[in-house]
Amino acid sequence: MSTLEAGMTRDEAFALLQEHNKDPFHIEHAETVEQTMRYFAREYDPDNVEFWGLVGLLHDLDWEEHDDEPELHTIYAAKDIEAAGGTPELIRAIQSHTSDFNPELPKPELQMEKILFATEELTGLIGAAIVMRPSKSVMDFEVKSLKKKFKDKRFAAGVSRDVIRSGAEMLGWELDELFARTIEAMQSFAPDKDTFVPAEG
């Protein structure tokens, strides 16, 4: 496997994230997706754990500032990432997760891109479900509980179930497998950060 160059360090990427995101919920989401990506990278692409992590960290860089223009999501980010030294490979991987909003953006092809597409919305659904639990922890969260929340379209209504379904299809995984593996990914880093911040508003 070839090593992918991101063109920036984790510290530089995090500084860029903080420059464009002030809401703690968005920063928490970025870090959750970053750690989820690192978890899967250790299995599928161990030479590029850092790259996968930065893709996760910066995947929603422009969302807070431009959430009223979903079709341009990641297009604004591309300019900011490029200006900060980010490589075309980093930008492409990030843009692939919004190809459902904008057909001109690249579709997920690499395993990394498919996993970002499949898990990004799902981590949000899991996070929202955990906030409602007495433990506020992912450590005792089970697939059957997630399935109930997934079926309840009023719960975390902003989370696209269609994106999660098509992400599972891209990976060739059953929904249950995607659910189980994403919960496991979040459990792998939750002991360090075991409470999830509820979205404001």
Side-chain angles (χ1 to χ4, degrees), residues 5-8 13 51-52 54-56 58 81 85-95:
E5 293 296 334
M8 58 173 70
F51 187 94
W52 284 50
L54 296 189
V55 168
L58 295 176
I81 293 167
T87 59
E89 291 82 4
L90 180 66
I91 292 166
R92 192 215 122 84
I94 287 165
Q95 289 194 321

Side-chain angles (χ1 to χ4, degrees), residues 7-157:
M8 58 173 70
T9 65
R10 202 269 175 192
D11 286 347
E12 289 165 344
F14 191 69
L16 186 64
L17 179 72
Q18 289 182 307
E19 193 182 319
H20 294 279
N21 290 269
K22 307 305 175 196
D23 185 337
F25 179 75
H26 290 147
I27 291 172
E28 171 106 7
H29 174 64
E31 291 183 296
T32 297
V33 176
E34 174 195 12
Q35 293 300 332
T36 300
M37 292 295 287
R38 286 176 183 273
Y39 172 87
F40 283 109
R42 288 192 286 273
E43 179 179 347
Y44 290 107
D45 192 6
D47 292 340
N48 288 305
V49 171
E50 190 68 10
F51 187 94
W52 284 50
L54 296 189
V55 168
L57 188 65
L58 295 176
H59 78 281
D60 272 354
L61 178 67
D62 58 13
W63 185 251
E64 185 174 309
E65 294 171 336
H66 301 287
D67 62 356
D68 55 337
E69 300 175 277
E71 69 286 352
L72 296 178
H73 177 32
T74 72
I75 290 175
Y76 289 108
K79 294 173 188 160
D80 295 326
I81 293 167
E82 186 178 12
T87 59
E89 291 82 4
L90 180 66
I91 292 166
R92 192 215 122 84
I94 287 165
Q95 289 194 321
S96 70
H97 93 280
T98 46
S99 53
D100 53 323
F101 280 136
N102 185 340
E104 290 179 20
L105 292 174
K107 294 241 178 305
E109 288 172 10
L110 302 173
Q111 186 78 351
M112 166 182 57
E113 295 165 348
K114 292 174 185 177
I115 285 175
L116 176 66
F117 190 95
T119 62
E120 187 253 336
E121 293 269 315
L122 186 54
T123 62
L125 183 64
I126 293 168
I130 288 162
V131 169
M132 312 297 289
R133 296 169 66 75
S135 68
K136 301 265 192 292
S137 170
V138 74
M139 300 312 286
D140 58 358
F141 191 55
E142 296 180 349
V143 170
K144 65 178 186 225
S145 303
L146 179 54
K147 284 167 84 167
K148 275 187 201 155
K149 297 297 188 191
F150 185 82
K151 284 176 184 157
D152 179 1
K153 294 193 173 58
R154 290 166 307 173
F155 180 78

